[in-house]
Amino acid sequence: MLFKLIYFFHTEISWLNVFRYITFRTILATLTSLLLVFLFGSWMIKKLRKMQVGEQIREDGPPNHKSKEGTPTMGGCLIIPVILVSTLLWAEFQNIYVMLVVFVIICFGLIGFLDDYLKVGGTNGRGLKVRTKFILQIIVALVVALVLQKYPGFDARLNVPFFKTVSPDLGWGYVPVAVFIIVGASNAVNLTDGLDGLAIGPIIVAFTSYLMFSYLAGHVKIASYLQIPYVAGTGELSILCGAIVGAGLGFLWYNAHPAELFMGDVGSIPLGATLGTVAVVTKQEIVLILVGGIFVFETLSVIFQVAYFKMTGGQRIFKMAPIHHHFELKGWPETKVTVRFWIIAIILALLSISTLKLR
Ligand code: 57M
């Protein structure tokens, strides 16, 4: 909204014209978020320590995690408001896609907050019941999918990377697919958030990719040149993605090993859901498997481990799932696991960007 106020004076001061451009406002949103996290980061950590919002480490986890006991958690209480403020300042708030994504951030943020609150400060110490959390996530995702489905001109075709002629029209079937993507991405990021910097690194990489995809999908000429679906208005989502990248970089400053702050469910659950929603809105749903490959890999490791564990009555494929624990227990230092996962995330993001040309 701030940009509108500034832009208002562009007839008197011509260089203010620059505020019209999405690219310029994306840079401003990224820097605003980064600056806000830096400004409030240390204050937040002190505040959380004072309020005794510290992590309780599970007894059955890898032994090196014991030293993390008491690390302030719920860093999402800083990340999420920063993203919202930054978006509010630099993006077009009346834009339907911005509104929908902001709705997702707020609702999933509240679910994560409740979960953390019950774990850390509440009475049961275990957070929301898995079923309750899941149902709440599905309800919010369903609202988003239904609004999209009803939105005039919404395209229910699924865009298949590498095969430009294949784009099946799912009709109403698009609704469950969208719900699956949003809820799946939310939980996948949550599962990945188990080592210092492990979730936020690939989040930064993934949102940088979607920053590009949103811009390209919202530009009629580029979208037609690249033969990707044109979705009028998604350009504004680049600003929101920029705000997330900036907040993510700022958070990584504190979350880098040895972490001074964890994001908590109040961070991981909305960030994952936002990633899924941006993928759905920009019509780059399937490519999310590649962009968010690390999150998919972590989730699959849990699915296979649990299935195998149940089938065999207690045997395991990995030393421990999610798979980052497997590598830790094999003796890899925590930072080695994290940095190697980041490298894979960057390679996958580059591959996903290459799908734009290879169609
Ligand atoms: C949350 N949370 C971290 C922190 C973070 C089905 C099952 C696989 C579920 C899974 C699970 O509960 N996953 C979701 C993972 C926790 O981090 C907190 O949670 C927030 C994210 N939601 O922000 O607040 C711990 O992770 C470590 N951490 C860091 N640095 C960070 O920046 O070191 C987190 C952020 C923190 C800290 O130690 O306490 C977590 O891992 O709990 N369950 C599991 O992941 C458990 N796996 C398991 O039981 N595997 C079984 C199979 C059969 C299901 C097996 O393989 O045998 C493991 N998690 C832990 N201990 N802690 C194993 C045991």
Side-chain angles (χ1 to χ4, degrees):
M1 290 302 149
L2 178 66
F3 87 91
K4 286 225 156 154
L5 196 68
I6 301 174
Y7 183 66
F8 183 75
F9 296 101
H10 79 281
T11 41
E12 285 85 40
I13 311 167
S14 62
W15 64 265
L16 292 184
N17 223 347
V18 73
F19 283 88
R20 201 161 50 96
Y21 298 106
I22 287 174
T23 40
F24 185 67
R25 287 187 281 127
T26 302
I27 295 169
L28 286 178
T30 312
L31 294 177
T32 306
S33 288
L34 189 63
L35 198 74
L36 288 175
V37 175
F38 280 157
L39 274 179
F40 293 102
S42 303
W43 170 83
M44 186 80 182
I45 293 171
K46 276 188 207 127
K47 191 100 188 146
L48 288 169
R49 275 219 184 92
K50 217 170 167 185
M51 290 164 73
Q52 296 190 318
V53 184
E55 187 72 25
Q56 295 159 12
I57 307 293
R58 278 173 49 169
E59 285 302 316
D60 53 354
N64 61 321
H65 282 244
K66 291 273 169 357
S67 60
K68 295 169 187 262
E69 183 80 45
T71 305
T73 185
M74 294 182 79
C77 289
L78 174 65
I79 305 174
I80 301 304
V82 161
I83 294 168
L84 292 176
V85 168
S86 218
T87 307
L88 189 70
L89 290 177
W90 303 116
E92 182 81 63
F93 232 70
Q94 288 99 321
N95 178 295
I96 174 77
Y97 301 124
V98 173
M99 279 198 274
L100 267 183
V101 178
V102 164
F103 172 76
V104 165
I105 300 182
I106 295 174
C107 293
F108 278 78
L110 288 173
I111 297 171
F113 181 84
L114 199 61
D115 197 23
D116 280 336
Y117 181 77
L118 291 175
K119 261 187 227 160
V120 183
T123 44
N124 72 359
R126 274 200 263 126
L128 278 176
K129 279 192 187 143
V130 177
R131 231 168 90 107
T132 316
K133 190 156 66 172
F134 202 52
I135 291 172
L136 290 174
Q137 289 177 317
I138 289 179
I139 293 172
V140 180
L142 199 58
V143 171
V144 174
L146 289 172
V147 171
L148 274 178
Q149 176 70 26
K150 286 302 254 171
Y151 191 64
F154 181 73
D155 186 355
R157 276 175 302 181
L158 212 52
N159 184 36
V160 183
F162 301 114
F163 300 95
K164 62 181 170 191
T165 48
V166 184
S167 51
D169 193 342
L170 302 184
W172 279 101
Y174 192 84
V175 171
V177 170
V179 170
F180 173 77
I181 294 170
I182 298 168
V183 175
S186 175
N187 289 312
V189 171
N190 187 33
L191 281 176
T192 308
D193 190 23
L195 295 183
D196 298 348
L198 185 66
I200 201 67
I203 278 285
I204 294 167
V205 174
F207 275 103
T208 308
S209 308
Y210 273 103
L211 183 159
M212 273 182 62
F213 287 139
S214 323
Y215 183 76
L216 302 177
H219 196 295
V220 70
K221 280 192 188 145
I222 304 180
S224 119
Y225 167 70
L226 292 171
Q227 293 184 289
I228 57 169
Y230 166 61
V231 193
T234 52
E236 289 293 319
L237 282 182
S238 313
I239 297 156
L240 191 139
C241 291
I244 297 178
V245 171
L249 286 170
F251 173 72
L252 183 57
W253 187 268
Y254 302 102
N255 187 234
H257 186 72
E260 299 163 71
L261 182 63
F262 295 157
M263 69 170 86
D265 287 8
V266 63
S268 59
I269 287 182
L271 285 177
T274 305
L275 184 61
T277 312
V278 173
V280 166
V281 165
T282 53
K283 307 295 308 152
Q284 297 293 333
E285 310 92 345
I286 297 185
V287 88
L288 178 62
I289 299 172
L290 216 52
V291 181
I294 287 294
F295 306 124
V296 175
F297 180 52
E298 292 269 16
T299 309
L300 288 179
S301 76
V302 170
I303 293 172
F304 287 130
Q305 178 90 328
V306 174
Y308 193 73
F309 190 87
K310 284 189 177 157
M311 264 162 44
T312 58
Q315 289 185 38
R316 291 178 165 83
I317 307 176
F318 308 109
K319 287 178 186 292
M320 193 183 277
I323 199 147
H324 51 261
H325 288 318
H326 171 79
F327 294 114
E328 269 193 299
L329 292 176
K330 273 184 78 172
W332 292 21
E334 181 170 347
T335 43
K336 202 174 199 78
V337 183
T338 302
V339 174
R340 285 188 172 168
F341 276 40
W342 287 355
I343 294 170
I344 298 169
I346 293 168
I347 294 170
L348 291 175
L350 291 174
L351 274 175
S352 75
I353 293 166
S354 76
T355 67
L356 287 170
K357 277 306 239 176
L358 305 173
R359 279 165 200 258

